[in-house]
Structures are given as structure tokens and as C-alpha cells.
Amino acid sequence: MQLMTMNERKFQPFEGAPGMEVCVLSEHGDGGLSLFVKLQPGASVPRHSHLGREESVILQGRVDVGGHVAKAGDYVNMTHGEEHEVRAEEETIFFVVVNQGYKVVG
């Protein structure tokens, strides 16, 4: 069993994305990850697609995901190959499960 308390979360800057930080919880071995993402207001997750599904739950804040607003409590499911970017409308934290990895596009 692994337990990580809120106080133990260590966010690290994500290279090439000012205002974005990540806290990797686990690596799946196939390129996939489970992680928390923290975005400052106006910060963006670079445009990317996934080799598998991506599932996210917004824990705090509001983000624009491909023209749709997701807020605290909302669930977002992206399918294999679906390109998107995420832009924070306010400080936002979300939990993400990335299956089989991702690739930055553009």
C-alpha cells in the first residue's frame, strides 16, 4: 500500500510550461502516469495527445479544455489520439491518469 498525504505532495515545475507544476504519484511502466497537475491562473498545459485514454478529475479551480469549461468536481475523459490543451481560468489542481503515455504536438 502507498499513502501520500496532502502535506507530502511535492510539486515540480513542468519544463516548457510556465505556471504548470506536477506531482507524479506513480509510473505505470507502459509510459502511463498518475499525477496531480497544478496550474496558475492563465497557465496552459501544452497541446498534446495520448497513446491511450486520459482521465481527469478537477479538484480545485476552473480550466478550459478544448473550449469546454471544467470546474471542481468535474470529470474529463479524453480518448486515444484526441489532441487538446488545458488553460487555467484560475488556480487549478486536478488529478490525472494517463494511460500508455502522451506526446506534445505543435
XYZ file of all heavy atoms in Angstrom:
814
model
N 0.839 -1.182 0.000
C 0.000 0.000 0.000
C 0.880 1.241 0.000
O 1.929 1.256 0.632
C -0.890 0.004 1.234
C -1.757 1.225 1.333
S -2.814 1.140 2.782
C -2.813 2.843 3.235
N 0.429 2.253 -0.717
C 1.115 3.542 -0.715
C 0.123 4.595 -0.250
O -1.013 4.645 -0.732
C 1.604 3.907 -2.116
C 2.229 5.278 -2.186
C 2.555 5.711 -3.618
O 2.346 4.976 -4.571
N 3.056 6.911 -3.753
N 0.539 5.432 0.664
C -0.278 6.551 1.127
C 0.558 7.807 1.023
O 1.675 7.856 1.550
C -0.732 6.337 2.577
C -1.411 7.533 3.240
C -2.739 7.849 2.553
C -1.614 7.275 4.724
N 0.035 8.801 0.322
C 0.696 10.100 0.260
C -0.299 11.124 0.788
O -1.363 11.313 0.195
C 1.095 10.468 -1.166
C 1.769 11.847 -1.255
S 2.146 12.370 -2.941
C 3.467 11.262 -3.344
N 0.028 11.747 1.894
C -0.864 12.756 2.452
C -0.725 14.067 1.664
O 0.244 14.254 0.914
C -0.539 13.015 3.933
O 0.772 13.607 4.016
C -0.599 11.734 4.750
N -1.694 14.948 1.841
C -1.638 16.252 1.164
C -0.344 16.988 1.483
O 0.245 17.631 0.624
C -2.831 17.123 1.570
C -4.090 16.804 0.800
S -5.485 17.847 1.265
C -4.892 19.478 0.935
N 0.107 16.877 2.721
C 1.327 17.575 3.137
C 2.588 16.994 2.530
O 3.634 17.626 2.538
C 1.442 17.582 4.658
C 0.346 18.402 5.302
O -0.195 19.326 4.697
N -0.014 18.060 6.526
N 2.515 15.767 2.015
C 3.679 15.124 1.421
C 3.804 15.374 -0.083
O 4.811 15.014 -0.684
C 3.612 13.611 1.666
C 3.764 13.243 3.118
C 3.533 11.767 3.374
O 2.571 11.187 2.817
O 4.338 11.193 4.138
N 2.801 15.982 -0.686
C 2.859 16.261 -2.125
C 4.004 17.213 -2.424
O 4.147 18.246 -1.779
C 1.575 16.908 -2.616
C 0.398 16.011 -2.617
C -0.784 16.759 -3.214
N -2.021 16.105 -2.872
C -3.198 16.665 -2.926
N -3.312 17.931 -3.320
N -4.274 16.005 -2.612
N 4.809 16.851 -3.411
C 5.906 17.715 -3.846
C 5.710 18.011 -5.325
O 5.894 17.141 -6.165
C 7.246 17.040 -3.596
C 7.512 16.814 -2.116
C 8.946 16.529 -1.851
C 9.294 16.232 -0.424
N 8.410 16.510 0.619
N 5.304 19.231 -5.615
C 5.092 19.658 -6.993
C 6.407 20.168 -7.579
O 7.164 20.866 -6.898
C 4.037 20.767 -7.059
C 2.637 20.263 -6.883
C 2.066 20.166 -5.632
C 1.884 19.883 -7.992
C 0.771 19.706 -5.473
C 0.586 19.424 -7.847
C 0.025 19.329 -6.587
N 6.651 19.807 -8.837
C 7.841 20.233 -9.557
C 7.414 20.979 -10.818
O 6.439 20.592 -11.458
C 8.683 19.013 -9.971
C 9.110 18.128 -8.827
C 10.068 18.823 -7.882
O 10.918 19.597 -8.299
N 9.928 18.557 -6.597
N 8.159 22.027 -11.195
C 7.830 22.721 -12.451
C 7.882 21.754 -13.630
O 8.703 20.840 -13.651
C 8.930 23.776 -12.577
C 9.461 23.955 -11.192
C 9.311 22.613 -10.521
N 6.985 21.952 -14.590
C 6.954 21.140 -15.797
C 7.672 21.912 -16.887
O 7.261 23.016 -17.248
C 5.510 20.838 -16.203
C 5.391 19.829 -17.304
C 5.475 18.477 -17.027
C 5.193 20.233 -18.614
C 5.364 17.528 -18.036
C 5.084 19.301 -19.626
C 5.162 17.942 -19.344
N 8.765 21.354 -17.396
C 9.613 22.036 -18.375
C 8.810 22.466 -19.608
O 8.053 21.678 -20.177
C 10.750 21.112 -18.801
C 11.776 21.791 -19.677
C 12.950 20.888 -20.001
O 13.270 19.990 -19.206
O 13.535 21.101 -21.072
N 8.990 23.720 -19.990
C 8.342 24.249 -21.186
C 6.923 24.730 -20.982
O 6.255 25.099 -21.945
N 6.442 24.720 -19.738
C 5.081 25.167 -19.451
C 5.081 26.057 -18.211
O 4.818 25.590 -17.102
C 4.157 23.975 -19.267
N 5.378 27.351 -18.377
C 5.403 28.262 -17.230
C 4.067 28.255 -16.484
O 3.000 28.256 -17.103
C 5.657 29.627 -17.859
C 6.234 29.338 -19.210
C 5.665 28.016 -19.635
N 4.137 28.199 -15.166
C 2.934 28.217 -14.339
C 2.294 26.851 -14.156
O 1.251 26.726 -13.533
N 2.948 25.816 -14.678
C 2.449 24.441 -14.522
C 3.414 23.651 -13.654
O 4.624 23.689 -13.867
C 2.309 23.763 -15.889
C 1.887 22.314 -15.815
S 1.778 21.609 -17.495
C 1.596 19.880 -17.096
N 2.863 22.932 -12.669
C 3.659 22.055 -11.817
C 2.975 20.698 -11.751
O 1.750 20.605 -11.868
C 3.756 22.621 -10.405
C 4.486 23.954 -10.313
C 4.482 24.476 -8.897
O 3.391 24.819 -8.403
O 5.564 24.520 -8.294
N 3.769 19.652 -11.567
C 3.225 18.303 -11.463
C 3.766 17.597 -10.223
O 4.863 17.877 -9.762
C 3.528 17.455 -12.719
C 2.888 18.069 -13.952
C 5.011 17.272 -12.927
N 2.960 16.685 -9.716
C 3.346 15.797 -8.619
C 3.035 14.384 -9.096
O 1.868 13.975 -9.115
C 2.555 16.140 -7.360
S 2.830 14.987 -5.989
N 4.068 13.663 -9.528
C 3.877 12.310 -10.038
C 3.668 11.364 -8.858
O 4.474 11.306 -7.939
C 5.082 11.860 -10.896
C 4.920 10.412 -11.331
C 5.244 12.776 -12.104
N 2.564 10.630 -8.914
C 2.231 9.676 -7.858
C 2.727 8.285 -8.196
O 3.224 7.572 -7.329
C 0.716 9.647 -7.643
C 0.105 10.996 -7.259
C -1.406 10.932 -7.326
C 0.582 11.415 -5.881
N 2.562 7.891 -9.466
C 3.057 6.574 -9.871
C 3.303 6.545 -11.373
O 2.664 7.269 -12.135
C 2.078 5.467 -9.474
O 0.871 5.572 -10.198
N 4.250 5.706 -11.757
C 4.536 5.449 -13.158
C 4.048 4.042 -13.449
O 4.338 3.111 -12.701
C 6.029 5.589 -13.426
C 6.514 7.010 -13.170
C 7.992 7.195 -13.465
O 8.567 6.388 -14.220
O 8.565 8.154 -12.923
N 3.312 3.869 -14.549
C 2.646 2.602 -14.833
C 3.518 1.581 -15.551
O 3.119 0.438 -15.697
C 1.389 2.848 -15.671
C 0.428 3.780 -15.011
N -0.719 4.187 -15.622
C 0.430 4.416 -13.811
C -1.392 5.014 -14.840
N -0.703 5.169 -13.735
N 4.679 1.983 -16.043
C 5.564 1.039 -16.712
C 5.335 0.938 -18.210
O 6.135 0.373 -18.932
N 4.230 1.483 -18.706
C 3.939 1.462 -20.140
C 3.955 2.877 -20.709
O 3.412 3.135 -21.772
C 2.578 0.818 -20.412
C 1.417 1.581 -19.781
O 1.666 2.571 -19.043
O 0.257 1.204 -20.029
N 4.567 3.808 -19.970
C 4.565 5.215 -20.355
C 3.465 5.998 -19.671
O 3.427 7.217 -19.720
N 2.551 5.303 -19.020
C 1.442 5.960 -18.317
C 1.852 6.481 -16.953
O 2.856 6.049 -16.377
N 1.052 7.412 -16.450
C 1.321 8.059 -15.166
C 0.016 8.332 -14.430
O -1.027 8.519 -15.052
C 1.983 9.425 -15.370
C 3.297 9.526 -16.100
C 3.574 10.982 -16.468
C 4.404 9.002 -15.206
N 0.115 8.428 -13.121
C -0.931 9.003 -12.286
C -0.287 10.192 -11.604
O 0.805 10.072 -11.032
C -1.433 8.003 -11.242
O -2.062 6.905 -11.868
N -0.926 11.355 -11.686
C -0.303 12.556 -11.156
C -1.320 13.637 -10.814
O -2.467 13.592 -11.259
C 0.710 13.118 -12.150
C 0.185 13.642 -13.482
C 1.145 14.682 -14.035
C 0.057 12.528 -14.496
N -0.860 14.595 -10.016
C -1.585 15.834 -9.792
C -0.947 16.894 -10.678
O 0.276 16.916 -10.849
C -1.460 16.312 -8.338
C -2.217 15.494 -7.342
C -1.546 14.697 -6.433
C -3.606 15.520 -7.301
C -2.235 13.947 -5.497
C -4.302 14.776 -6.372
C -3.614 13.984 -5.460
N -1.773 17.772 -11.226
C -1.288 18.913 -12.003
C -1.812 20.169 -11.325
O -2.997 20.250 -10.976
C -1.775 18.860 -13.472
C -1.353 20.115 -14.227
C -1.245 17.616 -14.163
N -0.922 21.138 -11.141
C -1.299 22.437 -10.577
C -1.003 23.501 -11.628
O 0.106 23.555 -12.166
C -0.502 22.736 -9.309
C -0.911 24.039 -8.629
C 0.038 24.461 -7.501
C 0.130 23.472 -6.394
N 0.961 23.979 -5.264
N -2.008 24.334 -11.918
C -1.848 25.429 -12.882
C -2.140 26.762 -12.220
O -3.148 26.895 -11.524
C -2.816 25.252 -14.057
C -2.623 24.030 -14.945
C -3.770 23.934 -15.944
C -1.296 24.106 -15.670
N -1.278 27.731 -12.455
C -1.535 29.096 -12.017
C -2.520 29.743 -13.002
O -2.637 29.305 -14.147
C -0.221 29.888 -11.953
C 0.760 29.356 -10.930
C 0.168 29.299 -9.534
O -0.452 30.253 -9.072
N 0.337 28.171 -8.862
N -3.237 30.789 -12.586
C -4.186 31.445 -13.499
C -3.512 31.830 -14.817
O -2.424 32.403 -14.821
C -4.628 32.683 -12.731
C -4.421 32.326 -11.292
C -3.203 31.438 -11.278
N -4.128 31.458 -15.931
C -3.603 31.774 -17.254
C -2.593 30.780 -17.792
O -2.265 30.808 -18.975
N -2.092 29.878 -16.944
C -1.108 28.886 -17.395
C -1.792 27.816 -18.236
O -2.980 27.543 -18.078
C -0.416 28.244 -16.200
N -1.011 27.204 -19.125
C -1.548 26.181 -20.019
C -0.732 24.903 -19.983
O 0.487 24.944 -19.845
C -1.557 26.687 -21.463
O -2.446 27.742 -21.615
N -1.422 23.786 -20.149
C -0.781 22.514 -20.441
C -0.591 22.519 -21.952
O -1.549 22.749 -22.694
C -1.678 21.324 -20.027
C -1.037 20.002 -20.418
C -1.991 21.377 -18.536
N 0.625 22.311 -22.447
C 0.858 22.350 -23.895
C -0.060 21.390 -24.654
O -0.456 20.345 -24.126
C 2.319 21.928 -24.035
C 2.934 22.193 -22.702
C 1.841 21.982 -21.698
N -0.396 21.752 -25.897
C -1.231 20.900 -26.746
C -0.570 19.526 -26.864
O 0.620 19.418 -27.137
C -1.398 21.536 -28.119
C -2.386 20.812 -29.000
C -2.812 21.703 -30.169
N -3.904 21.096 -30.872
C -5.180 21.120 -30.472
N -5.499 21.744 -29.362
N -6.116 20.530 -31.176
N -1.367 18.483 -26.629
C -0.840 17.128 -26.626
C -1.934 16.130 -26.977
O -3.106 16.469 -27.028
C -0.225 16.787 -25.262
C -1.206 16.806 -24.136
N -1.701 17.984 -23.589
C -1.805 15.796 -23.459
C -2.543 17.695 -22.617
N -2.640 16.378 -22.512
N -1.513 14.898 -27.238
C -2.449 13.796 -27.441
C -1.937 12.606 -26.641
O -0.808 12.627 -26.127
C -2.589 13.443 -28.923
O -1.380 12.911 -29.412
N -2.758 11.580 -26.556
C -2.412 10.425 -25.736
C -2.374 9.149 -26.552
O -3.086 8.998 -27.538
C -3.420 10.284 -24.594
C -3.329 11.424 -23.637
N -2.473 11.423 -22.570
C -3.951 12.619 -23.611
C -2.582 12.569 -21.928
N -3.470 13.318 -22.546
N -1.541 8.236 -26.112
C -1.429 6.934 -26.752
C -2.513 5.986 -26.230
O -2.741 4.926 -26.794
C -0.035 6.354 -26.517
C 1.107 7.282 -26.955
C 2.451 6.703 -26.576
C 1.030 7.573 -28.431
N -3.150 6.371 -25.159
C -4.288 5.660 -24.562
C -5.273 6.700 -24.071
O -5.273 7.836 -24.545
N -6.092 6.340 -23.117
C -7.056 7.298 -22.547
C -6.397 8.195 -21.510
O -5.395 7.821 -20.911
C -8.180 6.551 -21.837
C -9.312 6.200 -22.706
C -10.483 5.605 -21.981
N -10.263 5.285 -20.580
C -11.194 4.798 -19.799
N -12.388 4.559 -20.264
N -10.947 4.527 -18.540
N -7.028 9.356 -21.288
C -6.645 10.252 -20.198
C -7.909 10.538 -19.411
O -8.919 10.934 -19.983
C -6.076 11.557 -20.740
C -5.811 12.574 -19.630
C -5.577 13.972 -20.160
O -6.498 14.529 -20.779
O -4.493 14.491 -19.934
N -7.845 10.326 -18.103
C -8.977 10.616 -17.237
C -8.535 11.622 -16.190
O -7.487 11.455 -15.572
C -9.474 9.349 -16.551
C -10.004 8.316 -17.523
C -10.492 7.082 -16.801
O -11.678 7.046 -16.441
O -9.658 6.181 -16.596
N -9.350 12.672 -15.996
C -9.012 13.731 -15.042
C -10.215 14.059 -14.171
O -11.351 14.006 -14.632
C -8.607 15.013 -15.779
O -7.525 14.792 -16.637
N -9.924 14.440 -12.944
C -10.932 14.978 -12.039
C -10.406 16.312 -11.537
O -9.296 16.388 -10.997
C -11.214 14.034 -10.853
C -12.204 14.677 -9.888
C -11.734 12.691 -11.341
N -11.196 17.361 -11.742
C -10.801 18.697 -11.284
C -11.081 18.774 -9.786
O -12.214 18.562 -9.346
C -11.594 19.799 -12.038
C -11.567 19.585 -13.557
C -11.066 21.176 -11.636
C -10.200 19.510 -14.175
N -10.053 19.060 -9.009
C -10.182 19.119 -7.555
C -10.426 20.531 -7.052
O -11.108 20.726 -6.037
C -8.922 18.552 -6.895
C -8.574 17.114 -7.277
C -7.238 16.720 -6.682
C -9.683 16.173 -6.848
N -9.859 21.500 -7.752
C -9.949 22.902 -7.336
C -9.816 23.761 -8.584
O -8.995 23.465 -9.449
C -8.806 23.207 -6.362
C -8.569 24.655 -6.057
C -7.266 24.847 -5.285
O -6.955 24.107 -4.371
N -6.500 25.844 -5.674
N -10.596 24.825 -8.684
C -10.432 25.786 -9.763
C -11.291 25.518 -10.980
O -12.257 24.752 -10.939
N -10.902 26.167 -12.097
C -11.616 26.071 -13.379
C -10.605 26.087 -14.509
O -9.669 26.881 -14.500
C -12.543 27.275 -13.578
C -13.687 27.370 -12.614
C -14.394 28.712 -12.722
N -14.811 29.043 -14.059
C -16.034 28.821 -14.544
N -16.945 28.262 -13.795
N -16.336 29.175 -15.774
N -10.826 25.223 -15.497
C -9.963 25.167 -16.673
C -10.805 25.111 -17.940
O -11.938 24.628 -17.927
C -9.003 23.949 -16.652
C -7.955 24.086 -15.576
C -9.769 22.647 -16.499
N -10.226 25.614 -19.026
C -10.805 25.462 -20.346
C -10.094 24.273 -20.987
O -8.880 24.264 -21.126
C -10.583 26.729 -21.173
C -11.159 26.628 -22.568
O -10.817 25.660 -23.287
O -11.930 27.513 -22.949
N -10.865 23.271 -21.360
C -10.322 22.072 -22.009
C -10.951 22.000 -23.390
O -12.118 21.634 -23.524
C -10.652 20.787 -21.222
C -10.025 19.575 -21.886
C -10.213 20.889 -19.776
N -10.202 22.435 -24.401
C -10.704 22.375 -25.766
C -12.022 23.107 -25.973
O -12.889 22.636 -26.697
N -12.179 24.264 -25.328
C -13.392 25.049 -25.490
C -14.511 24.711 -24.520
O -15.588 25.305 -24.566
N -14.270 23.767 -23.621
C -15.252 23.391 -22.597
C -14.702 23.755 -21.236
O -13.530 23.503 -20.956
C -15.546 21.888 -22.641
C -16.064 21.428 -23.963
N -17.388 21.513 -24.306
C -15.432 20.886 -25.024
C -17.557 21.034 -25.532
N -16.373 20.657 -25.996
N -15.525 24.329 -20.377
C -15.081 24.695 -19.037
C -15.340 23.526 -18.086
O -16.444 22.980 -18.033
C -15.796 25.960 -18.529
C -15.436 26.241 -17.075
C -15.431 27.154 -19.398
N -14.293 23.128 -17.362
C -14.401 22.103 -16.328
C -14.038 22.753 -14.997
O -13.062 23.498 -14.922
C -13.466 20.932 -16.626
N -14.837 22.465 -13.979
C -14.611 23.077 -12.664
C -14.543 21.993 -11.586
O -14.755 20.820 -11.883
C -15.710 24.081 -12.364
C -17.098 23.524 -12.340
C -18.125 24.624 -12.208
C -19.535 24.113 -12.136
N -19.916 23.077 -13.029
N -14.249 22.408 -10.372
C -14.087 21.473 -9.260
C -15.235 20.477 -9.226
O -16.404 20.854 -9.283
C -13.991 22.231 -7.948
N -14.875 19.194 -9.177
C -15.844 18.111 -9.136
C -16.119 17.487 -10.490
O -16.689 16.397 -10.566
N -15.723 18.151 -11.579
C -15.986 17.634 -12.925
C -14.970 16.564 -13.318
O -13.817 16.585 -12.884
C -15.956 18.753 -13.962
C -17.131 19.704 -13.848
O -18.098 19.399 -13.111
O -17.087 20.766 -14.494
N -15.436 15.641 -14.168
C -14.632 14.540 -14.700
C -14.456 14.772 -16.196
O -15.415 15.119 -16.893
C -15.365 13.224 -14.448
C -14.824 12.030 -15.197
C -13.671 11.380 -14.762
C -15.471 11.536 -16.318
C -13.186 10.261 -15.435
C -14.990 10.418 -16.991
C -13.857 9.793 -16.549
O -13.380 8.702 -17.216
N -13.231 14.594 -16.691
C -12.926 14.764 -18.113
C -12.269 13.476 -18.609
O -11.312 13.000 -18.004
C -11.974 15.959 -18.350
C -11.665 16.110 -19.828
C -12.550 17.247 -17.772
N -12.775 12.940 -19.726
C -12.235 11.711 -20.310
C -11.842 12.005 -21.751
O -12.687 12.394 -22.558
C -13.278 10.596 -20.252
C -12.756 9.279 -20.779
O -11.560 9.034 -20.808
N -13.656 8.429 -21.203
N -10.573 11.851 -22.072
C -10.073 12.035 -23.430
C -9.736 10.666 -24.013
O -9.147 9.826 -23.325
C -8.807 12.897 -23.440
C -9.023 14.315 -23.010
S -9.896 15.222 -24.281
C -9.918 16.837 -23.554
N -10.094 10.467 -25.272
C -9.833 9.188 -25.910
C -8.459 9.181 -26.576
O -7.841 10.232 -26.769
C -10.918 8.878 -26.966
O -10.919 9.919 -27.943
C -12.280 8.775 -26.319
N -8.029 8.005 -26.948
C -6.762 7.799 -27.644
C -6.657 8.745 -28.846
O -7.575 8.838 -29.651
C -6.681 6.345 -28.112
C -5.621 6.097 -29.128
N -4.305 5.952 -28.776
C -5.675 6.001 -30.472
C -3.594 5.751 -29.878
N -4.398 5.774 -30.916
N -5.549 9.490 -28.915
C -5.264 10.344 -30.064
C -5.970 11.685 -30.081
O -5.716 12.499 -30.967
N -6.835 11.950 -29.133
C -7.576 13.217 -29.105
C -6.639 14.354 -28.664
O -6.162 14.358 -27.533
C -8.756 13.091 -28.143
C -9.751 14.197 -28.226
C -10.993 13.916 -27.393
O -11.141 12.807 -26.826
O -11.817 14.840 -27.303
N -6.372 15.311 -29.564
C -5.487 16.435 -29.242
C -6.247 17.472 -28.430
O -7.408 17.764 -28.710
C -4.950 17.087 -30.516
C -3.975 16.224 -31.261
C -3.352 16.950 -32.446
O -3.481 18.181 -32.559
O -2.736 16.254 -33.266
N -5.554 18.042 -27.448
C -6.173 19.080 -26.621
C -5.107 19.847 -25.850
O -3.973 19.410 -25.743
C -7.181 18.461 -25.646
C -6.568 17.479 -24.700
N -6.201 16.207 -25.074
C -6.250 17.579 -23.394
C -5.696 15.565 -24.044
N -5.699 16.383 -23.007
N -5.517 20.991 -25.358
C -4.703 21.732 -24.402
C -5.621 22.154 -23.275
O -6.840 22.106 -23.399
C -3.998 22.918 -25.050
C -4.895 23.965 -25.630
C -4.105 25.036 -26.362
O -3.216 25.634 -25.755
O -4.415 25.266 -27.536
N -5.037 22.545 -22.178
C -5.787 22.928 -20.990
C -5.275 24.281 -20.546
O -4.060 24.479 -20.432
C -5.596 21.886 -19.859
C -6.365 22.290 -18.619
C -5.989 20.497 -20.331
N -6.190 25.224 -20.288
C -5.794 26.559 -19.836
C -6.554 26.892 -18.562
O -7.776 26.769 -18.511
C -6.106 27.601 -20.903
C -5.605 28.977 -20.531
C -5.896 30.003 -21.635
N -5.487 31.307 -21.218
C -6.142 32.087 -20.371
N -7.262 31.679 -19.823
N -5.687 33.269 -20.040
N -5.824 27.311 -17.531
C -6.431 27.619 -16.237
C -7.085 28.996 -16.249
O -6.457 29.979 -16.624
C -5.380 27.556 -15.132
N -8.341 29.047 -15.833
C -9.041 30.321 -15.668
C -8.773 30.898 -14.286
O -8.952 32.085 -14.068
C -10.537 30.125 -15.903
C -10.843 29.738 -17.340
C -12.324 29.638 -17.613
O -13.142 29.705 -16.667
O -12.667 29.485 -18.801
N -8.381 30.042 -13.361
C -7.984 30.431 -12.006
C -7.048 29.339 -11.506
O -6.847 28.337 -12.204
C -9.209 30.584 -11.098
C -10.074 29.356 -11.022
C -11.407 29.608 -10.311
O -12.144 30.496 -10.736
O -11.675 28.895 -9.333
N -6.451 29.529 -10.333
C -5.553 28.483 -9.834
C -6.323 27.167 -9.781
O -7.421 27.101 -9.227
C -5.005 28.822 -8.457
C -4.016 27.767 -7.978
C -3.351 28.127 -6.675
O -3.926 27.764 -5.633
O -2.289 28.756 -6.708
N -5.745 26.143 -10.371
C -6.440 24.863 -10.528
C -5.523 23.708 -10.176
O -4.340 23.731 -10.490
C -6.924 24.708 -11.995
O -7.787 25.800 -12.311
C -7.664 23.406 -12.200
N -6.111 22.700 -9.524
C -5.422 21.444 -9.262
C -6.330 20.330 -9.759
O -7.530 20.335 -9.485
C -5.110 21.238 -7.772
C -4.166 22.336 -7.263
C -4.494 19.850 -7.525
C -3.898 22.299 -5.770
N -5.753 19.398 -10.534
C -6.535 18.242 -10.959
C -5.704 16.972 -10.895
O -4.477 17.009 -10.947
C -7.182 18.441 -12.336
C -6.261 18.825 -13.459
C -5.806 17.882 -14.362
C -5.897 20.149 -13.643
C -4.986 18.246 -15.425
C -5.088 20.528 -14.700
C -4.633 19.571 -15.589
N -6.404 15.858 -10.738
C -5.801 14.533 -10.704
C -5.965 13.921 -12.088
O -7.038 14.001 -12.681
C -6.496 13.658 -9.657
C -6.051 12.228 -9.678
C -4.796 11.877 -9.212
C -6.876 11.240 -10.168
C -4.369 10.556 -9.234
C -6.473 9.914 -10.187
C -5.218 9.568 -9.724
N -4.898 13.325 -12.609
C -4.912 12.772 -13.963
C -4.346 11.346 -13.960
O -3.322 11.083 -13.319
C -4.029 13.611 -14.924
C -4.126 13.098 -16.340
C -4.371 15.071 -14.855
N -5.000 10.472 -14.717
C -4.454 9.157 -15.028
C -4.231 9.142 -16.531
O -5.165 9.321 -17.317
C -5.398 8.010 -14.613
C -4.828 6.667 -15.061
C -5.628 8.025 -13.121
N -2.969 9.008 -16.933
C -2.569 8.971 -18.341
C -2.217 7.523 -18.664
O -1.297 6.968 -18.077
C -1.342 9.881 -18.586
C -0.859 9.750 -20.011
C -1.657 11.315 -18.226
N -2.980 6.926 -19.571
C -2.731 5.537 -19.959
C -1.801 5.499 -21.167
O -2.035 6.183 -22.158
C -4.045 4.829 -20.296
C -4.909 4.663 -19.058
O -4.575 3.900 -18.181
N -5.993 5.405 -18.992
N -0.707 4.758 -21.073
C 0.223 4.486 -22.163
C 0.994 5.695 -22.675
O 1.567 5.656 -23.752
C -0.505 3.806 -23.329
C -1.156 2.506 -22.928
C -1.984 1.895 -24.024
O -2.288 2.535 -25.036
N -2.373 0.659 -23.837
N 1.016 6.789 -21.956
C 1.843 7.925 -22.323
C 1.143 8.971 -23.162
O -0.030 8.869 -23.482
N 1.923 10.001 -23.529
C 1.402 11.137 -24.283
C 2.489 11.668 -25.193
O 3.650 11.322 -25.060
C 0.912 12.244 -23.343
C 2.032 12.895 -22.575
C 2.614 14.077 -23.035
C 2.547 12.332 -21.412
C 3.656 14.671 -22.348
C 3.588 12.912 -20.726
C 4.134 14.082 -21.197
O 5.174 14.668 -20.529
N 2.085 12.550 -26.113
C 3.088 13.255 -26.933
C 2.614 14.688 -27.133
O 1.434 14.962 -27.355
C 3.311 12.560 -28.272
C 2.124 12.537 -29.190
C 2.476 11.858 -30.508
C 1.255 11.877 -31.414
N 1.525 11.354 -32.728
N 3.565 15.615 -26.996
C 3.296 17.027 -27.225
C 3.200 17.245 -28.732
O 4.017 16.699 -29.497
C 4.388 17.913 -26.596
C 4.182 19.376 -26.936
C 4.421 17.706 -25.086
N 2.210 18.008 -29.166
C 2.031 18.297 -30.598
C 2.134 19.792 -30.824
O 1.728 20.583 -29.995
C 0.681 17.758 -31.147
C 0.685 16.254 -31.157
C -0.486 18.273 -30.357
N 2.692 20.160 -31.976
C 2.795 21.584 -32.323
C 3.852 22.254 -31.643
O 4.365 22.708 -30.878
